[in-house]
Amino acid sequence: MSWGTELWDQFDSLDKHTQWGIDFLERYAKFVKERIEIEQNYAKQLRNLVKKYCPKRSSKDEEPRFTSCIAFFNILNELNDYAGQREVVAEEMAHRVYGELMRYAHDLKTERKMHLQEGRKAQQYLDMCWKQMDNSKKKFERECREAEKAQQSYERLDNDTNATKADVEKAKQQLNLRTHMADENKNEYAAQLQNFNGEQHKHFYVVIPQIYKQLQEMDERRTIKLSECYRGFADSERKVIPIISKCLEGMILAAKSVDERRDSQMVVDSFKSGFEPPGDFPFEDYSQHIYRTISDGTISASKQESGKMDAKTTVGKAKGKLWLFGKKPKGPALEDFSHLPPEQRRKKLQQRIDELNRELQKESDQKDALNKMKDVYEKNPQMGDPGSLQPKLAETMNNIDRLRMEIHKNEAWLSEVEGKTGGRGDRRHSSDINHLVTQGRESPEGSYTDDANQEVRGPPQQHGHHSEFDDEFEDDDPLPAIGHCKAIYPFDGHNEGTLAMKEGEVLYIIEEDKGDGWTRARRQNGEEGYVPTSYIDVTLEKNSKGAVTYI
């Protein structure tokens, strides 16, 4: 099937069809371009999404690395790789499909224009041949009519008896002339007709079929190119499917890595304070309180002035102390982490000791390497000067001494914390497990202080000297009771200046909470100290100044 034989008379139709083919090619190229833009924008939006939700934290203050968080971060990484593969798809389409289509469309336009120009030239040449033949035909026809007229004129004069011989001779000469011209035009017309028929046969059986064949081949190549671009369009994405599948598998593995048990354990490790939970409520003996109030009533008025003064003095000293519970810190964290609860302090100290040991090992390895290098220089002076290594050796030794001092200091703090927690029942976990710790969290009963001027102190050391609390409680006369309280939770009172109490125990209130979270109380045996306000139910006497009932 050939266009040259089947469509010999459809030049204009083929002109429109080839133009439509190029337009369709350019339309598909536009489609590919828009698809590329979609892929690029999709990849860009995915990268922006990953960037938006990626963790933004410094190395010094990281949040707990829960398995669910780690899985989400891994999913973000896989999604970022997925976005990269979308960019690869866009680049492959742009290079292999869109760019190739635009170059081919340009070449196709040039080739089509050339073939159509050849067809038009062939048609113009055939038209010219036809005009020449038609002109010779018309001229032959005209000469024939003139010859017929000359013959009729000659016959009329020859039959006319009145016509002269000269007129008859003249008419005969005119007839011969017209007949000769008619014969010449006849021959010219025959030659032009033969030439036109030959050119027409050549036009429709040689020239036009050749031109149409070239147009057909061009159109078929366009169709093949479209087929190749369709395949390349699909291959651009099929090539990245294995990598995309790996990204999706990575997301599935990240989802499978979520361990709720481990996350729960991390919550315990991150927020465990190490404090003992409250014990049972004791029996409340209100009759002793009544008898005590009656017996102390005679001296309450006489020592009210001194009581107020002592309370102010005590509160003033107490505010300077660093209590077990307090407000969130406003300043930087303390070096020994004493602003943290015991368990968290132990973890932080153990973590710091491990880091210092790693640094010490690195410095020791560096010192050994320098010593070996120094020995080599001493044995082979041409390799280097041993004295040039002395400053570096001295610096390394100084670093080793500094790190050892730091380790010793932190181990002393760690021993102090472990001694405290061991006295509470050795509730801590192994120090080999290091987790990230949040600071400034509230305990169920109150808040431990973060203040730069406050820290958690351990039980008073027995060194034969008195603490500030010993001085505070060495008054000759006891302060008057302004109310009583009932212990809601037990309190061990290991810190100096505090008073241990059992759950349900009834104590006398001798000084209200001044806003620092502590209330000064006294037992029936006269032992005094501070207890957490959140651990007790306080009832003040109605006749005392500023009496308030805390529930």
Side-chain angles (χ1 to χ4, degrees):
M1 182 178 62
S2 173
W3 288 5
T5 56
E6 303 290 339
L7 303 175
W8 60 271
D9 58 343
Q10 298 296 323
F11 181 83
D12 293 337
S13 298
L14 293 179
D15 183 5
K16 294 179 181 179
H17 173 74
T18 53
Q19 181 61 45
W20 171 86
I22 294 176
D23 293 342
F24 182 80
L25 186 73
E26 292 179 338
R27 181 177 177 82
Y28 178 69
K30 185 178 179 182
F31 161 78
V32 175
K33 181 181 179 181
E34 293 182 0
R35 170 66 188 276
I36 291 170
E37 292 175 352
I38 290 173
E39 291 289 348
Q40 291 173 342
N41 292 333
Y42 180 46
K44 182 179 179 181
Q45 291 176 1
L46 284 178
R47 290 194 182 277
N48 291 336
L49 182 67
V50 171
K51 183 178 179 181
K52 178 180 179 181
Y53 286 94
C54 269
K56 298 178 181 179
R57 60 183 186 278
S58 63
S59 58
K60 296 181 180 179
D61 186 19
E62 296 184 354
E63 62 182 14
R65 297 287 289 177
F66 297 106
T67 57
S68 56
C69 296
I70 297 174
F72 178 61
F73 299 154
N74 291 336
I75 289 174
L76 290 178
N77 292 332
E78 296 294 345
L79 187 61
N80 191 59
D81 295 340
Y82 176 82
Q85 295 308 308
R86 303 320 306 179
E87 292 175 346
V88 171
V89 171
E91 292 175 1
E92 185 72 12
M93 286 183 179
H95 174 71
R96 183 177 175 182
V97 181
Y98 179 73
E100 186 66 22
L101 282 173
M102 296 306 295
R103 287 191 295 270
Y104 189 76
H106 179 268
D107 297 339
L108 205 63
K109 289 179 181 179
T110 304
E111 184 180 357
R112 173 181 175 275
K113 183 178 179 181
M114 181 184 67
H115 294 326
L116 292 179
Q117 285 178 350
E118 291 177 356
R120 290 190 180 94
K121 286 180 181 179
Q123 187 66 39
Q124 289 174 1
Y125 178 72
L126 184 64
D127 292 343
M128 182 187 68
C129 292
W130 181 82
K131 287 181 180 180
Q132 290 177 353
M133 184 272 296
D134 188 61
N135 289 335
S136 63
K137 177 183 177 182
K138 290 179 180 179
K139 190 175 181 181
F140 170 63
E141 183 182 3
R142 186 171 60 251
E143 291 298 330
C144 286
R145 285 196 298 268
E146 291 295 329
E148 289 178 359
K149 289 180 181 180
Q151 185 177 2
Q152 291 175 0
S153 177
Y154 169 73
E155 290 177 353
R156 186 178 64 253
L157 290 175
D158 187 36
N159 295 326
D160 189 359
T161 57
N162 298 325
T164 62
K165 187 176 180 179
D167 292 337
V168 173
E169 191 64 24
K170 182 177 179 182
K172 185 177 179 179
Q173 291 178 357
Q174 185 68 24
L175 175 62
N176 292 333
L177 178 63
R178 290 296 179 185
T179 302
H180 178 71
M181 291 182 66
D183 290 339
E184 289 183 352
N185 284 292
K186 179 181 179 181
N187 294 332
E188 178 68 19
Y189 167 64
Q192 291 294 334
L193 179 62
Q194 184 179 3
N195 180 64
F196 172 75
N197 288 333
E199 292 296 333
Q200 180 175 259
H201 184 275
K202 180 182 178 181
H203 176 81
F204 287 110
Y205 288 95
V206 179
V207 178
I208 288 298
Q210 182 66 27
I211 294 173
Y212 283 9
K213 180 181 179 181
Q214 293 173 349
L215 286 173
Q216 181 180 358
E217 292 176 351
M218 180 196 71
D219 192 69
E220 289 176 353
R221 289 198 309 273
R222 175 191 64 82
T223 305
I224 293 173
K225 177 61 68 173
L226 279 173
S227 175
E228 293 175 353
C229 290
Y230 294 159
R231 189 179 299 109
F233 183 84
D235 288 340
S236 299
E237 185 149 357
R238 187 173 62 180
K239 287 181 179 179
V240 302
I241 287 178
I243 303 177
I244 291 177
S245 298
K246 289 183 179 179
C247 294
L248 297 177
E249 289 175 3
M251 294 182 185
I252 293 174
L253 290 177
K256 292 180 179 179
S257 67
V258 176
D259 187 351
E260 68 280 4
R261 296 288 184 180
R262 183 179 174 186
D263 285 357
S264 298
Q265 184 60 43
M266 292 184 73
V267 173
V268 173
D269 295 337
S270 299
F271 303 119
K272 182 179 178 181
S273 65
F275 297 134
E276 290 289 340
D280 297 334
F281 279 86
F283 175 75
E284 302 178 22
D285 190 355
Y286 292 104
S287 60
Q288 294 181 5
H289 170 66
I290 296 173
Y291 299 150
R292 178 75 182 198
T293 305
I294 295 173
S295 62
D296 292 344
T298 57
I299 61 174
S300 296
S302 62
K303 295 187 178 181
Q304 187 174 4
E305 297 290 333
S306 62
K308 292 181 180 179
M309 186 178 299
D310 292 343
K312 291 181 179 179
T313 305
T314 305
V315 171
K317 293 181 180 179
K319 286 186 177 179
K321 292 292 178 182
L322 306 177
W323 299 107
L324 183 63
F325 298 93
K327 297 180 180 178
K328 198 172 182 179
K330 299 180 181 178
L334 299 176
E335 182 184 8
D336 61 351
F337 301 113
S338 57
H339 59 288
L340 295 175
E343 184 69 18
Q344 303 304 324
R345 183 185 181 193
R346 182 189 64 78
K347 294 180 187 299
K348 281 289 187 180
L349 288 171
Q350 184 64 50
Q351 183 179 357
R352 180 188 288 173
I353 290 172
D354 293 341
E355 292 175 356
L356 291 173
N357 282 326
R358 286 193 291 269
E359 293 181 13
L360 179 61
Q361 184 62 39
K362 289 173 61 177
E363 294 293 336
S364 300
D365 294 342
Q366 185 175 359
K367 183 191 73 170
D368 295 340
L370 290 172
N371 286 329
K372 290 181 181 179
M373 190 180 296
K374 183 179 179 182
D375 293 340
V376 173
Y377 287 174
E378 289 175 350
K379 294 177 181 178
N380 301 290
Q382 67 275 10
M383 296 184 65
D385 182 16
S388 62
L389 301 176
Q390 194 60 37
K392 188 63 177 177
L393 272 171
E395 181 183 354
T396 304
M397 292 301 297
N398 290 334
N399 290 338
I400 291 175
D401 293 340
R402 176 181 57 80
L403 290 172
R404 285 175 177 170
M405 291 178 62
E406 287 290 329
I407 292 173
H408 179 72
K409 180 171 61 174
N410 282 273
E411 285 179 346
W413 288 334
L414 181 61
S415 299
E416 178 186 354
V417 176
E418 289 179 342
K420 293 177 185 178
T421 55
R424 295 188 180 99
D426 196 21
R427 287 171 153 260
R428 65 181 180 84
H429 295 284
S430 174
S431 61
D432 294 335
I433 303 174
N434 295 321
H435 296 283
L436 300 175
V437 181
T438 55
Q439 301 177 2
R441 301 290 185 182
E442 291 189 355
S443 66
E445 297 82 18
S447 61
Y448 52 84
T449 180
D450 272 328
D451 197 342
N453 296 324
Q454 295 184 355
E455 64 181 2
V456 179
R457 300 297 185 190
Q461 304 296 325
Q462 301 299 328
H463 296 297
H465 65 274
H466 298 283
S467 64
E468 288 187 38
F469 289 106
D470 295 333
D471 297 335
E472 292 175 9
F473 299 140
E474 284 181 354
D475 297 331
D476 294 335
D477 298 323
L479 294 174
I482 60 175
H484 65 278
C485 66
K486 176 184 176 182
I488 304 175
Y489 309 107
F491 179 63
D492 52 22
H494 284 311
N495 294 313
E496 54 182 341
T498 60
L499 181 63
M501 61 180 180
K502 298 180 180 179
E503 184 179 352
E505 184 178 358
V506 178
L507 304 173
Y508 297 109
I509 301 298
I510 57 176
E511 186 179 304
E512 298 181 56
D513 185 354
K514 301 302 182 180
D516 55 2
W518 293 88
T519 300
R520 190 172 178 182
R522 182 172 59 216
R523 280 201 179 93
Q524 296 180 9
N525 60 6
E527 184 181 359
E528 297 181 357
Y530 285 91
V531 295
T533 305
S534 59
Y535 275 47
I536 58 175
D537 181 9
V538 180
T539 303
L540 298 180
E541 301 296 335
K542 295 182 179 180
N543 57 354
S544 64
K545 185 176 180 180
V548 180
T549 300
Y550 298 89
I551 303 299

